[in-house]
Amino acid sequence: MSKVIVIGAGPMGLAAAYYAARAGHQVEVVEASDRPGGMAAHFDFGGLSLERFYHFCCRSDVDTLELMAELDMTARMRWVETSMGYFIDGRLHRFGDPISLLLFPPLGPIEKLRYGLMAFFSTKRSDWSRLDQISAREWFIGWCGKRVYEKLWRPLFHLKFYEFADQVSAAWVWQRIKRLGNSRKSLFQEELGYIEGGTQSLVDSLVGAIERLGGVIRLNTPAKRIVIEAGRVSGVEVTGGDILAAGNVISTAPLPYIPGLLENGAPDLADVYRGFDNVGVACVIHRLRRSVTPNFWVNISDPAIEIPGFVEFSNLRPTDDTIVYVPYYMPASHPKFTWSDKALADESFAYLQRVNPALSELDRVDSHVGRLRYAQPVCDVGFAARIPPFITPVAGLMIADTAFYYPEDRGVSESIKFAKRMVAALGDTTGT
Ligand SMILES: Cc1cc2nc3c(=O)[nH]c(=O)nc-3n(C[C@H](O)[C@H](O)[C@H](O)COP(=O)(O)OP(=O)(O)OC[C@H]3O[C@@H](n4cnc5c(N)ncnc54)[C@H](O)[C@@H]3O)c2cc1C
């Protein structure tokens, strides 16, 4: 068995390290940040350990559930009946099940039928090859008509992807609809899950299991360079100039960082990873004295509200105060990305007040903003053909991030599943 260095201690990196250690490899994880967990990491929100970015599980998250069973954590999964709201034309409506669709005033009868058929057939479909070839915009208009697209979907896309909105592939959106559409107790009742103690519980268990298997996790240790000699990987140079030697390297760092790791050593390979667009996120978390709505999600379509929605997390995981996440997804070049935390918190709170005018300044307890420069790959039309093979031409080197499991959207379970695939391929990375 060989030495494996894993770059990144997010869910994919930790799962890769765990499965590799379990298979008998000697494992070392290098993580740039001061904590493990990546996008799923927690922070201390005034004594409450909470995800920096909201995290829920779906019934279809089989790889998370399997891993939790292996780590003796099954009893820590909690399933909760949740609901979705839509704030549109100045009013909050229930949304996301057949009855609420029938009662949804913004759509006419034919539009409701078309929308319902799209949602129903999305959960049944499995072949996505044609959807990879068209944009989400074309797909929605084809199913539901231009008016419904403009009213319901365009605001959501444009306030997440901005200049990339019209390029997003239908396959990516379809997969999201399918994942959520299948996480239901019945046709009429959505059901989502959370891990007791949050995703940190899973991260902590993984870290413990890796260490028990003899693995080492180095925090505050950014990889600077993947060292390649004669077409084979020989290690990773970390900050400070130390070179950690290894015959295998699995990188799980977001793709935009990869060219920098390969430039000195494999410039041609570095070029393969350029040109993958990502949007960032500045995610505001409000701690409030009162609930905003009874829903877990609220989508928003309102010209005066520049967010696509918010997540009232305490309607999933019970907490003493109300916890609401307001994610501002945007390219990092967008002016709002550099707004102060206070400006984002004030603006988003004013938006919450529009949805629930009973909210007052007195209800605000605290707020926090988590930022990521690369939070969501832009999976555009024809994306499947653009994803490089995760087994690179350099012997011993594998590279992947959340874009590699397209059309599935980034998710903890999907990252765990992909990690298993990479570990299974450890013996195959002979290079070309
Ligand atoms: C706002 C938001 C909400 C989300 N909600 C959900 C949800 O509800 N359910 C769900 O399942 N998923 C959700 N996700 C997605 C989920 O968090 C990701 O799919 C998952 O964390 C991806 O794991 P990963 O290990 O592949 O990548 P990451 O979590 O991005 O981990 C990559 C790691 O690499 C590290 N790194 C980067 N560069 C270097 C370097 N040079 N050297 C060493 N380390 C490096 C990073 O610091 C990071 O820790 C959400 C994400 C966001 C942003």
Side-chain angles (χ1 to χ4, degrees), residues 7-14 30-33 35-40 53-57 61 179 221-224 252-254 257 261 281 283 296 327 329 372 374-376 400-402 405 409-415:
I7 301 176
M12 193 189 285
L14 290 177
V30 293
E31 165 56 49
S33 149
R35 67 198 68 192
M39 290 192 237
F53 309 103
Y54 57 91
H55 274 70
F56 61 89
C57 302
D61 289 353
R179 176 175 182 247
T221 307
K224 286 284 163 209
T252 66
Y257 293 121
L261 297 177
V281 72
C283 190
F296 175 67
Y329 284 100
L372 276 180
Y374 305 117
Q376 171 76 67
D401 78 348
T402 60
Y405 41 76
D409 187 18
R410 354 135 280 191
V412 170
S413 196
E414 290 72 17
S415 278

Side-chain angles (χ1 to χ4, degrees), residues 7 15 25 28 34 39 103 115 125 139 185 239 331 399 413:
I7 301 176
H25 296 282
E28 198 163 354
D34 63 353
M39 290 192 237
L103 299 173
Y115 193 100
R125 182 177 193 141
W139 186 59
K185 200 172 172 182
T239 304
I399 293 176
S413 196

